[in-house]
């Protein structure tokens, strides 16, 4: 059976500024499938190789697949749907499969708008995909599809979701097949080195309101640090990788295992051959301030901090569990340990103003991170914050949900004005850094790294890729307030998806009402008992339903009553 995976050809002016990123998902799925005996697996990286639809059609026709699988984050969903439509045209008998976070939570939306998709994999894919492929290979598809956990599909006009699959408990049992990737294509621009994105842990115990990762991975699990370093050593020796970023949401949560990971890297002399970066929480940096030089010795050179906001009110709204003072202190500690810091800000909620944007700039300059990034708030439709702000969301064109396009319109700003304010922050921050900081401060490595980051920004700016400016008509003579972001306003929430949301909201509302009714009832009973006690107590309760239940012995007998002793 021939399986073909395709990475959709979607681009935005965000993360690609720093380089071309290897699609790790296909390595993890391919490794699991090969472990189960599937060896006829092909991969088309349409994104990295900029493969257009006609070329993709030709390639799929040559391969003659039995199964075509793609993944999709929210902004790439329409491109992924189109890949599977082309696959169905070219190979009508092939089973078309979609995975990824968007399909996991929005499967009713996807199946409504793309009926040519045969099946959606919901959740972590390694074990589900093996079960799915075995079912197809053995000729039990589609008859046995309801028996496979973690799927969604359409059957006789009805959207069906099977029981959710459990998370992968044995992460160390997953052996990614990194050889399926074209490693000469994946370059980290600041260092001009091959880059990888291995995985050390899955899940996150925190529940930031704007994030969906903790919902997707569900429970938090950490791999054996030695197994992770085995994988990194393989990437260095067999694929020429010189820089990696841990894919984990918060790799420092398990302090003991993170320390073991660093110790193992040092023991194998890997920091001389490869450096790395992470995303983590401010609180973890504060906790580990004495260990930061040790982390640097292990090759950790770049930390991206989810500082998110310069105002405590927004931090609380995001459920970050941090303070503005913590943010500043964490950046200072990292700087002293010679670790590059990147401060992440989220902007563009309904209460954003020119003044609050200016506040984030002033705060960033006061904190003095090496890098700063202002990301547009993106209302992922499967996050708690989206449910709070849903009535304010006007744009459901998910291709624009890319952190660089202002989806939300602040009350006191136009979208164009918001974008211009963000770009003003970038210009001022990096111009000052370029003139007064990057060329003159730090060691040779630090200078090289930061000038490489500046080069990446300048390259994206010259090519008009930064923040999708070339696509958004930014370089016209039109007023910024009149910018056309190209939203497809015909995109709406499918009836099936809306009905599901309303059903969940109704259940949630009714559960809240029941809890509140029980709370009020309990409070009333307590007040009534207190009133009886204050009056000497002992009279019959007016409501028999509220009367105390007679005490019963364990065998069900009621103890006899005795007259009080005189």
């Amino acid at each position: 059976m021939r399986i073909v995976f395709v990475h959709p050809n979607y681009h935005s002016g965000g993360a690609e500024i720093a380089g071309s990123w290897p699609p790790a998902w296909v390595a993890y799925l391919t490794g699991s499938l090969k472990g189960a005996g599937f060896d006829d697996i092909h991969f088309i990286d349409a994104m990295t190789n900029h493969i257009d639809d006609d070329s993709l059609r030709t390639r799929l026709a040559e391969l003659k697949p039995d199964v075509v699988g793609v993944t999709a984050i929210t902004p790439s969903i329409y491109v992924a749907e189109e890949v599977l439509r082309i696959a169905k045209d070219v190979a009508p008998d092939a089973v078309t499969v979609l995975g990824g976070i968007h399909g996991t939570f929005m499967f009713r939306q996807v199946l409504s708008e793309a009926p040519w998709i045969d099946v959606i994999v919901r959740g972590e894919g390694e074990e589900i995909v093996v079960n799915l492929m075995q079912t197809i290979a053995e000729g039990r598809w589609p008859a046995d599809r309801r028996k496979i956990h973690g799927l969604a599909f359409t059957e006789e006009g009805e959207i069906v979701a099977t029981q959710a699959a459990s998370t992968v408990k044995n992460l160390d049992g997953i052996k990614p097949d990194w050889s399926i990737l074209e490693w000469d294509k994946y370059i980290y621009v600041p260092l001009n080195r091959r880059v990888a994105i291995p995985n050390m842990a899955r899940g996150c115990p925190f529940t930031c309101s704007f994030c969906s990762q903790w919902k997707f991975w569900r429970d938090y699990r950490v791999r054996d640090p030695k197994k992770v370093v085995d994988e990194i050593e393989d990437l260095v020796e067999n694929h020429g990788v010189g820089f990696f970023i841990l894919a984990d949401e918060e790799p420092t949560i398990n302090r003991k295992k993170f320390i073991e990971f660093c110790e193992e890297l040092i023991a194998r002399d890997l920091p001389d051959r490869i450096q790395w970066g992470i995303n983590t929480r401010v609180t973890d940096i504060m906790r580990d301030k004495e260990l930061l030089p040790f982390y640097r010795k292990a090759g950790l050179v770049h930390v991206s901090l989810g500082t998110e906001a310069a105002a405590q009110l927004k931090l609380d709204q995001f459920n970050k569990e941090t303070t503005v003072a913590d943010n500043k202190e964490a950046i200072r500690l990292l700087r002293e340990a010679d670790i590059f810091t990147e401060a992440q800000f989220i902007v563009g909620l309904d209460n954003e103003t020119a003044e609050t944007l200016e506040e984030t700039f002033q705060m960033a300059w006061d904190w003095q991170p090496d890098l700063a990034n202002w990301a547009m708030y993106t209302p992922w439709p499967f996050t708690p914050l989206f449910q709070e702000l849903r009535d304010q969301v006007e744009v459901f064109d998910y291709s624009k949900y890319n952190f660089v396009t202002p989806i939300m319109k602040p009350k006191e700003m136009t979208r164009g004005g918001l974008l211009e304010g963000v770009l003003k922050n970038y210009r001022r921050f990096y111009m000052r850094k370029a003139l007064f900081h990057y060329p003159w401060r730090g060691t040779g490595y630090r200078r090289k790294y930061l000038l490489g980051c500046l080069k990446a920004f300048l390259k994206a700016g010259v090519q008009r890729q930064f923040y999708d400016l070339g696509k958004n008509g930014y370089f016209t003579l039109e007023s910024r307030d009149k910018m056309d972001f190209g939203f497809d306003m015909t995109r709406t929430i499918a009836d099936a998806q809306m009905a599901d949301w309303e059903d969940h909201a109704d259940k949630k509302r009714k559960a809240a009402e029941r809890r509140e009714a029980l709370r009020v009832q309990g409070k009333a009973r307590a007040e009534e008992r207190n009133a009886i006690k204050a009056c000497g107590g002992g009279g019959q309760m007016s409501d028999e339903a509220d009367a105390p239940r007679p005490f019963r012995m364990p065998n069900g007998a009621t103890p006899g009553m005795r007259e009080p002793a005189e």
Side-chain angles (χ1 to χ4, degrees):
M1 185 174 78
R2 174 162 293 178
I3 302 167
V4 177
F5 289 121
V6 182
H7 195 57
N9 184 17
Y10 176 84
H11 299 270
S12 70
E16 290 178 76
I17 293 169
S20 299
W21 305 100
W25 67 273
V26 73
Y28 283 93
L29 292 185
T30 300
S32 296
L33 287 167
K34 286 188 174 180
F38 295 92
D39 54 11
D40 192 356
I41 303 174
H42 302 259
F43 177 51
I44 302 172
D45 190 346
M47 178 180 180
T48 302
N49 294 304
H50 296 268
I51 297 175
D52 61 27
D53 288 350
D54 290 338
S55 300
L56 178 63
R57 183 183 296 274
T58 300
R59 184 73 187 280
L60 288 173
E62 292 170 349
L63 288 171
K64 297 181 174 60
D66 297 296
V67 178
V68 179
V70 302
T71 190
I73 56 175
T74 294
S76 67
I77 185 59
Y78 303 140
V79 181
E81 290 174 356
E82 182 62 14
V83 167
L84 295 182
R85 189 191 67 78
I86 292 170
K88 188 61 79 173
D89 286 347
V90 171
D93 294 330
V95 178
T96 50
V97 184
L98 173 77
I101 191 167
H102 189 86
T104 293
F105 294 113
M106 300 288 287
F107 60 89
R108 289 180 176 83
Q109 176 78 28
V110 173
L111 292 173
S112 296
E113 65 194 13
W116 53 85
I117 295 176
D118 292 317
V119 62
I120 291 175
V121 172
R122 298 162 45 234
E124 290 176 84
E126 289 89 356
E127 294 177 351
I128 302 172
V129 164
V130 168
N131 291 336
L132 173 62
M133 297 304 170
Q134 288 173 338
T135 300
I136 296 171
E138 294 167 6
R140 295 183 289 110
W141 178 270
D144 286 356
R145 57 186 172 179
R146 284 181 178 260
K147 298 178 181 179
I148 305 172
H149 292 179
L151 299 184
F153 47 83
T154 302
E155 183 177 80
E156 297 180 355
E158 176 191 2
I159 294 175
V160 177
T162 65
Q163 179 180 328
S166 64
T167 55
V168 178
K169 303 306 179 187
N170 181 22
L171 292 182
D172 291 322
I174 300 174
K175 308 295 182 185
D177 178 16
W178 294 114
S179 66
I180 200 166
L181 300 177
E182 303 172 80
W183 283 104
D184 60 319
K185 303 289 181 67
Y186 308 115
I187 303 299
Y188 185 59
V189 172
L191 293 175
N192 194 32
R193 295 183 182 181
R194 293 186 184 183
V195 61
I197 313 177
N199 180 263
M200 180 174 169
R202 291 184 179 179
C204 181
F206 300 99
T207 56
C208 296
S209 62
F210 58 86
C211 181
S212 59
Q213 291 297 317
W214 57 273
K215 294 181 67 178
F216 181 82
W217 300 111
R218 292 147 67 187
D219 55 318
Y220 179 65
R221 294 145 287 147
V222 187
R223 295 173 60 190
D224 179 349
K226 290 187 178 182
K227 300 284 188 182
V228 183
V229 177
D230 286 344
E231 194 173 308
I232 290 167
E233 196 166 32
D234 171 62
L235 288 167
V236 172
E237 295 182 351
N238 297 318
H239 304 293
V241 173
F243 189 81
F244 71 86
I245 296 176
L246 286 177
D248 314 23
E249 290 301 302
E250 309 288 349
T252 54
I253 290 173
N254 189 316
R255 186 173 185 263
K256 180 176 180 292
K257 288 202 172 183
F258 189 73
I259 291 172
E260 290 175 8
F261 172 70
C262 292
E263 289 173 338
E264 192 67 22
L265 288 169
I266 293 171
R268 303 190 199 186
D269 296 323
L270 282 169
D272 293 334
R273 293 183 284 169
I274 189 169
Q275 287 79 52
W276 48 290
I278 62 172
N279 298 285
T280 195
R281 290 175 62 86
V282 164
T283 49
D284 286 6
I285 298 300
M286 303 281 285
R287 178 199 69 194
D288 293 351
K289 58 183 177 182
E290 303 298 332
L291 289 169
L292 295 181
F294 165 68
Y295 295 162
R296 179 63 178 85
K297 182 181 178 182
L300 176 60
V301 298
H302 189 133
V303 171
S304 179
L305 288 174
T307 50
E308 316 303 9
Q312 190 61 47
L313 181 63
K314 283 189 179 180
L315 289 175
D316 295 340
Q317 184 179 11
F318 293 152
N319 199 26
K320 286 297 294 184
E321 302 178 23
T322 58
T323 68
V324 172
D326 290 341
N327 292 341
K328 182 176 182 178
E329 177 64 8
I331 290 171
R332 184 189 69 80
L333 291 168
L334 287 167
R335 187 169 57 243
E336 288 184 355
D338 196 30
I339 297 174
F340 306 110
T341 58
E342 180 178 0
Q344 300 278 356
F345 296 97
I346 294 178
V347 297
L349 271 74
D350 63 330
N351 57 352
E352 198 74 72
T353 63
E355 289 74 23
T356 59
L357 284 176
E358 176 65 21
E359 185 180 33
T360 63
F361 170 76
Q362 295 298 337
M363 195 72 75
W365 194 253
D366 176 58
W367 294 348
Q368 278 299 303
D370 297 295
L371 304 165
N373 180 40
W374 284 267
M376 299 290 183
Y377 168 63
T378 301
W380 304 121
F382 28 79
T383 60
L385 193 55
F386 174 84
Q387 296 301 328
E388 293 178 21
L389 303 177
R390 195 172 81 185
D391 292 342
Q392 302 170 32
V393 179
E394 302 171 330
V395 177
F396 295 100
D397 179 357
Y398 292 130
S399 67
K400 303 296 185 179
Y401 278 47
N402 50 22
F403 293 118
V404 301
T405 304
I407 299 299
M408 302 293 289
K409 180 190 174 302
K411 292 178 181 177
E412 299 184 19
M413 302 183 76
T414 64
R415 289 186 176 86
L418 172 61
L419 177 62
E420 181 62 23
V422 167
L423 295 177
K424 179 182 176 182
N425 283 358
Y426 273 110
R427 285 192 294 266
R428 289 185 293 169
F429 185 87
Y430 286 100
M431 186 174 294
R432 292 185 190 182
K433 285 287 187 179
L435 292 174
F436 305 114
H437 289 244
Y438 293 166
W440 320 113
R441 299 189 179 189
T443 64
Y445 182 84
R446 168 173 281 274
R447 187 178 301 114
K448 175 185 176 182
Y449 189 95
L450 292 174
L451 288 176
C453 292
L454 184 62
K455 174 186 175 183
F457 275 110
L458 291 174
K459 179 182 177 182
V462 170
Q463 295 176 344
R464 298 188 175 185
Q465 294 174 342
F466 184 69
Y467 263 60
D468 259 358
L469 298 182
K471 298 178 183 178
N472 290 335
Y474 180 82
F475 299 99
T476 67
L477 297 178
E478 287 284 335
S479 165
R480 299 287 186 255
D481 291 336
K482 297 181 180 179
M483 281 185 63
D484 181 6
F485 292 96
F487 296 131
D488 182 353
M489 300 304 287
T490 65
R491 297 278 186 180
T492 58
I493 302 298
D495 291 342
Q497 187 67 55
M498 184 64 76
D500 184 60
W501 281 351
E502 296 301 335
D503 181 55
H504 280 287
D506 187 52
K507 289 179 180 177
K508 187 176 180 181
R509 177 183 58 78
K510 288 180 178 178
E513 289 176 353
R514 286 194 297 270
R515 288 194 298 271
E516 178 62 17
L518 289 171
R519 187 191 68 80
V520 171
Q521 187 180 53
K523 182 179 179 182
R525 287 178 178 176
E527 290 175 349
E528 190 169 1
R529 285 194 298 270
N530 290 336
I532 292 170
K533 289 179 181 179
C535 296
Q540 182 177 346
M541 301 289 285
S542 59
D543 187 346
E544 292 183 2
D546 288 336
R549 295 179 181 177
F551 176 76
R552 294 188 181 276
M553 301 294 286
N555 62 4
T558 303
M561 299 298 293
R562 294 182 181 179
E563 292 292 328
E566 294 186 3

